[in-house]
Amino acid sequence: MTDRTATRACAPAGSGPDRSDRGVTRQRPHYAALDGLRGLAAISVLLFHLGHWQGHPWLAANAGLAVDFFFCLSGYVLSVAYRETLDQGMATRTFAVLRLVRLMPLVILGTLISAAYLAARIVLLHDPAISVAELTRATAFGLLCLPMLDASRAIGGPQVFPLNGPQYTLFLEIVVNIAWAALRRIDGMGSALAIVAAGYALMALVGIGGDEVASFWTGLPRVFGAFYAGVGLYHAQSGFAPIRDARWRFLFWPLLGFSALLFYWPQGLSFWVGWSWSLIVSPLLVLSGAHVVLRGRVARASAVLGALSFPVYALHYPIFVWINAAYQAILGSRSFAVGTGLALPGVLIASWLILRWWDEPVRRAMTTWLRTRAPQRVANGV
């Protein structure tokens, strides 16, 4: 969707630092409430896409707004986790490597799962519309997390990541992360506010896009505006005592309820409602959630939701296409109820298994290898 009223894909749920890179940055505070909210937002994105992909856009009709929360949260937690280390000399290249270690294992797996689906269509169904050469090229682009601007509709065009449409936001996450680290010498409250103002002003002029070729560049104002809103929150907490006041936590639950109502309203809301939510409510959710303290079962449930958020986001399309094809092959027909009833638990269960058996082990191994290969560079950022 390239107009002002909706988006087809949302931002990465696994935006923050994780256990694979905490050893080379200072320990960050644990924001349990924000972890839980990140997981709920990722599930809302899953429902949003299940509705759109199956012709029922009323399902979580406005959950595409989660893109703004994800990027705002990313700007905030990366500032908390890395800003001091970057100021002490961590190279931009080292930071980029750590972010790629965090994001790329699931990007690679998602690309391979989708590519395998299209390859199966070639082999089993002899689909003449799918070119082996084009599929090979799309797979290479996806594995490198680079946009492909000439994909045919047969493999998922005109989306810039035809094998996994939501991957475009992961690409934008990498872009804004590296830009932030590279420009850290001019990073401050004033520059963050200027970028936020410019980003949201451009969004008001050109709308929201990024997933398709025709609107690809319009994704940049949104990601930079939302990300630097989180960066601005970090600087505001550092410079203004009222922003550090724990009483902000009382806003969290009312804002969460309002946002849930907005996300699940069965009709698409106007561009300006979403724009206002993004500019005002999303940063307030991050600010208030950072002050909320959870304990016991609620804290443990939030941790699970936070851990699931990135696999659910990064893999929900590749997993869906296999589930969708399998049940239609068995039943011989398409059903929204059956498709959603299978895809929702299927994505959640598969995401959990992949998190435990692929994502976490691969990131641990990559981090260990980096420390062995260049321990001083990884530890000190030089």
Side-chain angles (χ1 to χ4, degrees):
M1 191 80 62
T2 58
D3 60 27
R4 294 185 173 188
T5 60
T7 55
R8 269 196 355 213
C10 299
S15 305
D18 204 86
R19 280 173 288 185
S20 60
D21 55 13
R22 283 181 193 171
V24 292
T25 65
R26 69 185 182 92
Q27 185 73 25
R28 72 180 178 100
H30 179 60
Y31 301 121
L34 293 177
D35 281 347
L37 181 52
R38 188 173 59 182
L40 293 174
I43 294 171
S44 296
V45 170
L46 166 61
L47 292 171
F48 170 80
H49 283 140
L50 288 178
H52 279 71
W53 293 333
Q54 299 179 97
H56 291 269
W58 55 265
L59 184 62
N62 301 289
L65 292 171
V67 65
D68 306 280
F69 169 75
F70 287 139
F71 278 119
C72 184
L73 179 60
S74 177
Y76 179 74
V77 297
L78 289 181
S79 294
V80 171
Y82 287 103
R83 178 56 196 260
E84 182 178 319
T85 308
L86 287 166
D87 288 344
Q88 292 173 351
M90 174 179 275
T92 301
R93 179 177 59 183
T94 302
F95 173 79
V97 169
L98 294 175
R99 296 305 291 145
L100 292 174
V101 168
R102 176 68 183 97
L103 298 172
M104 288 303 293
L106 290 182
V107 167
I108 291 170
L109 184 62
T111 298
L112 293 176
I113 293 172
S114 287
Y117 168 74
L118 291 176
R121 290 188 63 87
I122 295 174
V123 174
L124 300 178
L125 303 180
H126 307 289
D127 192 331
I130 303 174
S131 162
V132 173
E134 184 182 36
L135 175 58
T136 301
R137 193 157 57 91
T139 302
F141 273 83
L143 291 174
L144 295 172
C145 203
L146 294 174
M148 181 177 175
L149 303 180
D150 60 347
S152 69
R153 289 192 176 274
I155 66 164
Q159 293 189 101
V160 293
F161 286 91
L163 300 186
N164 189 3
Q167 189 177 331
Y168 89 94
T169 53
L170 306 182
F171 168 76
L172 291 176
E173 170 80 4
I174 294 170
V175 169
V176 73
N177 288 178
I178 295 175
W180 169 71
L183 299 173
R184 62 185 178 272
R185 288 180 177 83
I186 61 171
D187 178 34
M189 186 69 179
S191 60
L193 291 178
I195 293 172
V196 171
Y200 281 88
L202 284 172
M203 282 172 56
L205 291 174
V206 302
I208 297 170
D211 60 332
E212 295 187 355
V213 175
S215 65
F216 179 51
W217 75 273
T218 66
L220 292 173
R222 188 181 197 187
V223 59
F224 273 85
F227 182 88
Y228 271 89
V231 174
L233 282 178
Y234 167 80
H235 288 297
Q237 282 191 327
S238 301
F240 302 100
I243 304 299
R244 298 192 294 272
D245 193 318
R247 286 174 292 184
W248 283 104
R249 70 184 185 276
F250 295 117
L251 275 180
F252 180 73
W253 300 108
L255 290 175
L256 177 59
F258 172 72
S259 299
L261 178 66
L262 201 70
F263 280 21
Y264 286 89
W265 194 258
Q267 295 179 333
L269 301 173
S270 74
F271 167 82
W272 292 109
V273 171
W275 186 90
S276 300
W277 183 91
S278 172
L279 180 60
I280 300 169
V281 179
S282 177
L284 286 176
L285 268 173
V286 174
L287 174 61
S288 59
H291 290 284
V292 172
V293 177
L294 301 179
R295 295 183 177 85
R297 294 180 180 178
V298 177
R300 290 192 292 274
S302 293
V304 171
L305 286 169
L308 272 175
S309 61
F310 186 38
V312 167
Y313 180 81
L315 300 175
H316 67 280
Y317 176 76
I319 295 171
F320 167 77
V321 294
W322 278 100
I323 292 174
N324 184 60
Y327 96 78
Q328 289 192 50
I330 293 171
L331 298 182
S333 63
R334 181 179 181 180
S335 165
F336 170 69
V338 173
T340 303
L342 292 174
L344 180 58
V347 168
L348 294 176
I349 294 169
S351 295
W352 181 257
L353 294 174
I354 290 169
L355 173 71
R356 295 307 184 201
W357 295 98
W358 167 260
D359 187 37
E360 291 180 341
V362 169
R363 286 190 280 119
R364 281 196 298 267
M366 293 173 70
T367 302
T368 300
W369 180 81
L370 285 172
R371 287 172 177 161
T372 302
R373 184 172 182 268
Q376 291 302 312
R377 176 176 296 175
V378 174
N380 301 323
V382 297

